[in-house]
């Protein structure tokens, strides 16, 4: 269980407090919507460790994660773009920070399997810059698969994708979250994204997260 | 609709026409200077024997010195930018601003500061003597030249490279941090691809700055064996009155500078721009952090020590005696008047050329209009000054009449490439964002400037004015051929005092010069930003 308990946060030059309080079970997805600047992405930064709350707790299976630095948190992130290093191959991008040496037989097999799971077998040697927007998101998802961290944070991952690619990605994500029992939080402007993924809907209103 | 389009086209045409006229005028002036130099070469055949020193030696010395300076400055710049990018500490912004001021710190001040600190009778020597340790180190010679160039150009490189590192996409940085990339991998995957496109152009600029460096080589060279082309040109005109030799050396210098800068312009893939974009700081721990702190302390120590030693002269006992002299006030008023004039002229020309560059279509026409801007990079200050000097003699105009105009024009030409590099990208961004809206509103060129461009460009205008003013105030290249006892600027007065072994006077003038330059460089952009009242 991921518990975000009574979190308060405010930016240095702002008086307003952003407030978050919710919990999320394994294999569950919540979708957060709200206007620009409402504090949706702030929540992801707080869970990922890029921001520290002024008050409150974040626990995963009763273990505190706030004390951990970003690189040690049990978190994978997927942004709208810039998830990959464009000058590296798909294989290298997936292995980065996940596997020691991507050339060993064992790791090669793991990368191939992850690529197969996201429908991109045979793309391993391609440069990331040569991929389409949807393919890049899938490669980032393949890396997430290999990292297999229990919390998945998605910051508007479908923005900029065409309708069919977005639908395919939503179906794939829904399947992988259930299969790997991840706790997934998706920030989106679009309620259809949330419904397509079977997510619980939350909205940021007056700087408070409301169901 | 048709009327709207007509006005829009007219506004654009005005901007293009004005830009082309200004660019052509600068081009014509440069050709006139060049012809004046060549004319002297024709009157006195270049093959004729002169008091020529060994040109091969001068070229070799200039090249070796510039190559070493470039390598060391880039290395120091990368290390400082790396450390500053990683570390978060109180006063970080002040340290960055201090390193950024290296571009306007006059070479003559740094040279004098280094002698004050590292010389045989300097601060370090005095300090060691307390413990009975002798100091047998000489700051003069190749080492001193490299030291001074590395301090100034290393700090300049650090500012440029730091701006590139701080502009790495935030999301990419967050992904890399959450993937826990180790320090070396982070540098190779995130930093190196970001700065590698900047290195060739930055290297070429540093090479040219070192190759054409004048006051540092003159003051720290320590004799003919370390003389460079630039100093030899000065000696030929001012000391041996050998105009023919000066022309010979200038032509060699011009060809070499052209050979260096052309590939850098052609293959340049990057706009060298300064600016801080990201507040997210991913700090490292352990050995990396230790190295970063060490590098920063050494960097601050090396850069600040000569500057502090010069600034301490403000508390000298002889301070009031010097500032009460009429000659000092003459030099100060001349410097400030020339600085302000060339700053305003630089801004005016830079805006017109930037606007025309945006209004023009096609890469070739855009490149052609910007061509006169490369004057500074191709023609060193002293060669430019020599051109004016010869032209004035040919036109039989007295040096004392023409000198102020030469200084204003010359310093404007030197500041222009930097001014356009700062203004053009911001103007281009405004154009991209609002062009359709502006077109539909049917605004004239003047209204467009008054209501949209000026309010949005306040900070950049402040930077351009501060930069051009500071360049002019610290110039010793152009004044070196026109300076007299009657026509004196602060750097020239400082140079003369230093040459006459009046080191205290030189130090006090240097301190005042630094104080004015740092104040203007740091305060003017802030005032203009507030004045324009739009930018956050």
């Amino acid at each position: 269980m991921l518990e975000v308990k009574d979190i308060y946060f405010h930016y240095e030059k702002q008086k307003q407090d952003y407030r978050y309080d919710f919990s999320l079970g394994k294999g569950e997805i919540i979708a957060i919507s709200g206007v620009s600047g409402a504090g949706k992405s702030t929540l992801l930064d707080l869970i990922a460790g890029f921001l520290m709350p002024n008050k409150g707790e974040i626990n995963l299976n009763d273990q505190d994660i706030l004390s951990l630095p970003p690189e040690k948190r049990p978190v994978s992130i997927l942004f709208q773009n810039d998830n990959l290093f464009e000058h590296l191959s798909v294989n290298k991008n997936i292995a980065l920070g996940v596997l020691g040496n991507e050339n060993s037989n064992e790791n090669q097999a793991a990368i191939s399997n992850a690529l197969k799971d996201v429908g991109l077998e045979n793309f391993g040697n391609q440069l990331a810059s040569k991929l389409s927007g949807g393919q890049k998101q899938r490669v980032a998802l393949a890396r997430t698969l290999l990292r297999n961290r229990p919390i998945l944070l998605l910051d508007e991952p479908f923005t900029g994708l065409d309708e069919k690619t977005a639908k395919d990605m939503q179906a794939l994500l829904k399947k992988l979250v259930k299969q790997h029992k991840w706790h997934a939080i998706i920030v989106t402007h679009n309620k259809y994204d949330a419904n397509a993924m079977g997510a619980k809907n939350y909205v940021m209103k007056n700087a408070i997260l409301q169901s | 609709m048709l009327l709207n389009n007509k006005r829009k086209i007219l506004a654009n045409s005005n901007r293009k026409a004005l830009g082309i006229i200004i660019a052509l005028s600068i081009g014509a002036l440069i050709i006139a200077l060049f012809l004046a130099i060549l004319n002297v070469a024709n009157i006195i055949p270049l093959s004729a024997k002169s008091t020529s020193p060994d040109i091969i030696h001068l070229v070799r010395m200039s090249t070796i010195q510039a190559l070493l300076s470039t390598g060391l400055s880039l290395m120091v710049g990368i290390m400082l930018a790396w450390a500053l990018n990683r570390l978060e500490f109180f006063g970080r912004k002040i340290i960055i601003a201090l390193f950024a001021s290296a571009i306007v710190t006059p070479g003559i001040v740094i040279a004098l500061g280094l002698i004050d600190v590292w010389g045989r009778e300097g601060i370090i020597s005095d300090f060691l003597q307390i413990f009975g340790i002798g100091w047998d180190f000489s700051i003069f010679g190749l080492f001193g030249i490299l030291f001074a160039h590395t301090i100034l150009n290393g700090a300049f490189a650090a500012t440029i490279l730091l701006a590139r590192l701080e502009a790495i996409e935030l999301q990419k940085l967050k992904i890399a941090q959450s993937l826990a990339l180790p320090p070396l991998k982070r540098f190779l995957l995130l930093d190196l691809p970001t700065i590698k496109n900047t290195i060739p152009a930055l290297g070429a600029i540093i090479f040219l700055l070192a190759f054409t460096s004048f006051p540092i080589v003159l003051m720290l060279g320590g004799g003919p064996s370390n003389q460079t082309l630039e100093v030899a040109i000065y000696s030929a005109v001012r000391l041996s009155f050998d105009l023919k030799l000066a022309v010979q050396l200038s032509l060699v210098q011009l060809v070499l500078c052209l050979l260096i800068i052309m590939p850098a312009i052609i293959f340049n893939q990057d706009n060298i721009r300064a600016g801080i974009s990201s507040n997210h700081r991913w700090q490292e721990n352990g050995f990396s952090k230790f190295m970063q702190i060490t590098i920063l302390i050494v960097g601050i120590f090396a850069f600040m020590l000569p500057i502090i030693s010069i600034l301490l002269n403000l508390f000298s006992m002889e301070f009031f005696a010097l500032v009460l002299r009429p000659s000092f006030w003459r030099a100060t008023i001349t410097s400030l008047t020339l600085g302000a004039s060339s700053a305003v002229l630089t801004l005016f020309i830079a805006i017109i050329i930037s606007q025309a560059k945006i209004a023009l279509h096609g890469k070739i026409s855009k490149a052609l209009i910007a061509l006169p801007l490369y004057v500074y990079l191709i023609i060193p200050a002293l060669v430019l000054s020599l051109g004016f000097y010869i032209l004035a003699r040919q036109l039989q105009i007295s040096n004392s009449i023409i000198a102020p105009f030469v200084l204003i024009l010359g310093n404007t030409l030197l500041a222009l490439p930097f001014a356009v590099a700062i203004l053009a990208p911001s103007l281009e961004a405004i154009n991209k964002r609002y062009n359709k809206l502006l077109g539909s509103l049917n605004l004239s060129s003047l209204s467009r400037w008054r209501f949209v461009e000026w309010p949005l460009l306040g900070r950049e205008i402040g930077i351009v004015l501060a930069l051009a003013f500071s360049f002019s105030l610290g110039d010793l290249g152009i004044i070196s051929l026109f300076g007299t006892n009657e026509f004196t600027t602060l750097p020239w007065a400082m140079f003369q005092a230093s040459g006459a072994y009046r080191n205290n006077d030189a130090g006090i003038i240097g301190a005042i010069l630094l104080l004015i330059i740092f104040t203007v460089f740091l305060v003017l952009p802030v005032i203009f930003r507030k004045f324009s009242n739009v930018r956050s």
Side-chain angles (χ1 to χ4, degrees):
Chain A
M1 177 75 78
L2 172 68
E3 292 168 296
V4 174
K5 279 188 185 169
D6 212 13
I7 288 283
Y8 277 66
F9 174 80
H10 64 85
Y11 288 99
E12 222 170 87
K13 286 176 184 167
Q14 278 183 5
K15 283 184 184 161
Q16 186 183 38
D17 272 320
Y18 290 105
R19 288 161 57 187
Y20 310 92
D21 191 275
F22 67 93
S23 60
L24 181 63
K26 284 181 182 171
E28 283 183 356
I29 306 174
I30 66 164
I32 301 170
S33 56
V35 295
S36 296
K40 306 184 298 288
S41 298
T42 302
L43 171 64
L44 301 193
D45 279 349
L46 287 163
I47 298 173
F50 300 126
L51 295 174
M52 281 304 279
N54 303 103
K55 200 182 121 186
E57 291 174 30
I58 302 179
N59 299 324
L60 179 69
N61 302 329
D62 296 325
Q63 299 271 313
D64 162 57
I65 64 165
L66 278 181
S67 55
L68 300 172
E71 58 272 21
K72 294 206 171 129
R73 294 210 178 177
V75 167
S76 293
I77 314 168
L78 206 67
F79 291 109
Q80 181 186 334
N81 43 37
D82 287 326
N83 290 299
L84 303 181
F85 296 97
E86 305 258 317
H87 58 291
L88 297 182
S89 70
V90 166
N91 277 342
K92 275 215 160 62
N93 262 296
I94 294 176
L96 206 63
V98 183
L99 306 169
N101 169 18
E102 80 265 19
N103 294 325
S104 76
N105 287 341
E106 195 185 333
N107 289 345
Q108 279 289 338
I111 292 170
S112 289
N113 282 338
L115 280 174
K116 203 171 158 191
D117 281 351
V118 297
L120 285 179
E121 52 267 71
N122 305 325
F123 277 73
N125 292 323
Q126 281 224 21
L127 269 184
S129 57
K130 302 281 178 207
L131 303 179
S132 68
Q135 287 169 333
K136 282 179 188 166
Q137 294 297 62
R138 282 165 183 266
V139 172
L141 203 53
R143 182 171 61 204
T144 304
L145 274 175
L146 280 185
R147 293 187 88 206
N148 203 16
R149 304 272 171 108
I151 303 170
L152 178 61
L153 305 175
L154 304 133
D155 197 351
E156 303 195 29
F158 313 123
T159 311
L161 300 184
D162 64 70
E163 203 181 322
K164 187 184 176 308
T165 312
K167 271 191 178 161
D168 289 349
M169 267 294 282
Q170 286 156 2
L172 180 63
L173 267 168
K174 190 176 168 184
K175 186 183 100 181
L176 292 174
V177 170
K178 286 261 177 288
Q179 193 180 329
H180 294 273
K181 296 189 168 44
W182 288 333
H183 309 265
I185 302 172
I186 176 168
V187 162
T188 176
H189 277 296
N190 189 343
K191 278 201 172 162
Y192 297 109
D193 291 346
N195 296 336
M197 292 180 69
K200 258 194 244 172
N201 274 309
Y202 281 79
V203 63
M204 278 301 291
K205 216 171 179 181
N206 302 324
I208 301 171
L209 186 67
Q210 304 172 6
S211 57
Chain B
M1 181 74 184
L2 198 65
L3 198 71
N4 271 0
N5 277 343
K6 256 188 168 176
R7 280 193 73 165
K8 192 178 152 194
I9 291 165
L10 212 63
N12 259 344
S13 306
N14 285 344
R15 289 188 162 195
K16 277 185 222 172
L18 206 58
I20 290 168
I21 291 168
I22 296 273
L24 283 177
S25 309
I26 296 174
L29 176 70
I30 293 158
I31 290 169
L33 295 175
F34 193 66
L35 287 177
I37 292 177
L38 280 182
N39 197 23
V40 170
N42 279 337
I43 295 165
I44 318 163
L46 288 179
S47 54
K49 257 224 156 331
S50 76
T51 53
S52 173
D54 184 356
I55 292 186
I56 302 287
H57 170 78
L58 287 173
V59 171
R60 194 171 52 220
M61 187 55 217
S62 304
T63 312
I64 290 172
Q65 173 278 111
L67 271 177
L68 288 171
S69 294
T70 309
L72 288 168
S73 302
L74 284 177
M75 206 168 74
V76 167
I78 291 171
M79 288 197 298
L80 282 174
W82 175 68
L84 278 167
N85 177 250
R86 274 23 172 202
L87 295 171
E88 182 75 71
F89 55 92
F90 179 74
R92 183 176 176 273
K93 278 187 180 167
I94 296 171
I95 298 296
I96 293 172
L98 276 173
F99 283 143
S101 66
I103 187 77
V104 291
T105 306
I108 185 173
V109 177
I110 279 288
L112 200 70
L114 282 178
I115 297 169
D116 262 5
V117 176
W118 299 95
R120 289 226 166 90
E121 288 160 21
I123 295 170
I124 304 277
S125 166
D126 289 349
F127 177 73
L128 290 176
Q129 259 175 16
I130 299 170
F131 306 99
I133 304 169
W135 180 250
D136 198 27
F137 170 78
S138 172
I139 190 69
F140 298 101
L142 184 61
F143 178 81
I145 297 171
L146 293 180
F147 197 10
H149 283 164
T150 307
I151 286 175
L152 280 183
N153 299 333
F156 166 62
T159 316
I160 301 289
L161 295 172
L162 178 66
R164 310 297 293 129
L165 292 182
E166 307 264 288
I168 289 175
E169 296 89 341
L170 187 59
Q171 295 189 348
K172 200 162 264 180
L173 202 63
K174 285 181 177 175
I175 288 280
Q177 187 174 8
S178 99
L179 290 172
L181 289 192
L184 183 63
K185 219 161 199 172
R186 176 183 174 188
F187 179 78
L188 294 174
L189 285 175
L190 278 177
D191 303 338
L192 205 58
T194 308
I195 60 174
K196 78 170 186 210
N197 289 340
T198 308
I199 298 280
L202 183 61
I205 289 174
I206 293 176
F207 185 91
L208 284 174
L209 288 174
F211 192 79
T212 60
S213 161
F214 174 60
I216 288 175
V217 179
L218 193 64
M219 290 183 71
L220 296 175
S225 63
N226 291 314
Q227 207 178 36
T228 56
L229 278 164
E230 193 87 349
V231 175
I233 296 169
Y234 166 78
S235 307
V237 180
R238 292 296 299 226
L239 306 180
S240 45
F241 308 104
D242 188 344
L243 220 50
K244 187 193 129 230
L245 174 62
V247 167
Q248 271 182 331
L249 295 171
S250 299
L251 290 176
V252 172
Q253 172 106 317
L254 264 180
V255 172
L256 288 171
C257 288
L258 209 62
L259 285 177
I260 295 155
I261 198 64
M262 284 323 274
I265 293 170
I266 293 165
F267 297 114
N268 183 20
Q269 297 174 31
D270 194 51
N271 274 329
I272 294 181
R273 266 192 282 160
I276 293 165
S277 61
S278 165
N279 289 323
H280 183 73
R281 202 147 307 289
W282 169 15
Q283 299 195 52
E284 287 162 2
N285 293 314
F287 183 67
S288 287
K289 190 164 191 171
F290 170 75
M291 286 300 292
Q292 287 151 11
I293 292 171
T294 311
I295 288 167
L296 204 60
I297 290 173
V298 173
I300 293 170
F301 184 74
F303 183 67
M304 287 307 295
L305 217 55
I307 287 175
I308 290 171
S309 84
I310 289 289
L311 285 176
L312 282 177
N313 285 296
L314 289 173
F315 306 103
S316 158
M317 302 287 279
E318 288 132 73
F319 179 81
F320 288 105
L322 183 123
V323 298
L324 289 174
R325 278 184 219 156
S327 60
F328 168 79
W329 281 106
R330 262 207 314 275
T332 309
I333 290 166
T334 308
S335 277
L336 293 176
T337 314
L338 294 177
S341 310
S342 71
V344 172
L345 188 62
T346 303
L347 180 67
F348 178 71
I349 297 177
I351 287 170
I352 288 174
I353 291 194
S354 301
Q355 285 177 334
K357 206 175 151 191
I358 291 161
L360 281 166
H361 299 289
K363 274 189 171 176
I364 295 173
S365 43
K366 277 177 193 279
L368 276 177
I369 200 160
L371 203 61
L373 305 180
Y374 291 111
V375 169
Y376 167 70
L377 300 174
I378 298 164
I379 309 179
L382 210 72
V383 177
L384 204 68
S385 186
L386 180 66
F388 279 118
Y389 185 83
I390 295 170
L391 200 64
R393 279 173 61 128
Q394 285 172 353
L395 298 172
Q396 294 184 331
I397 305 171
S398 146
N399 265 1
S400 58
I401 293 172
I402 202 173
F405 302 101
V406 169
L407 258 74
I408 293 170
L409 258 178
N411 281 308
T412 299
L413 291 178
L414 301 186
L416 262 181
F418 295 94
V420 173
I422 291 163
L423 277 177
S426 302
L427 261 176
E428 184 109 48
I430 293 171
N431 186 58
K432 261 190 192 152
R433 190 163 173 197
Y434 294 117
N435 200 27
K436 283 184 185 163
L437 179 63
L438 287 167
S440 71
L441 290 174
N442 192 23
L443 287 184
S444 69
S445 194
L446 198 67
S447 307
R448 182 184 169 130
W449 166 254
R450 192 174 150 204
F451 296 112
V452 184
E453 290 166 338
W454 153 243
L456 287 171
L457 283 174
R459 184 172 158 267
E460 282 80 357
I461 288 172
I463 294 175
V464 167
L465 285 173
L467 206 68
F469 180 84
S470 307
F471 274 170
S472 173
L473 209 68
D475 166 70
L476 190 66
I478 297 177
I479 184 77
S480 67
L481 301 189
F482 288 89
T484 59
N485 285 337
E486 288 74 41
F487 184 70
T488 309
T489 60
L490 284 174
W492 183 247
M494 188 182 168
F495 177 63
Q496 281 184 315
S498 168
Y501 300 103
R502 288 186 282 116
N503 280 351
N504 279 343
D505 287 1
I508 295 167
I509 300 170
I512 293 166
L513 199 58
L514 266 187
L515 202 65
I516 301 173
I517 286 177
F518 281 0
T519 309
V520 166
F521 189 68
L522 297 177
V523 172
L524 217 54
V526 179
I527 292 176
F528 268 79
R529 188 165 119 176
K530 288 234 158 43
F531 190 52
S532 68
N533 207 19
V534 171
R535 276 280 170 90
S536 60

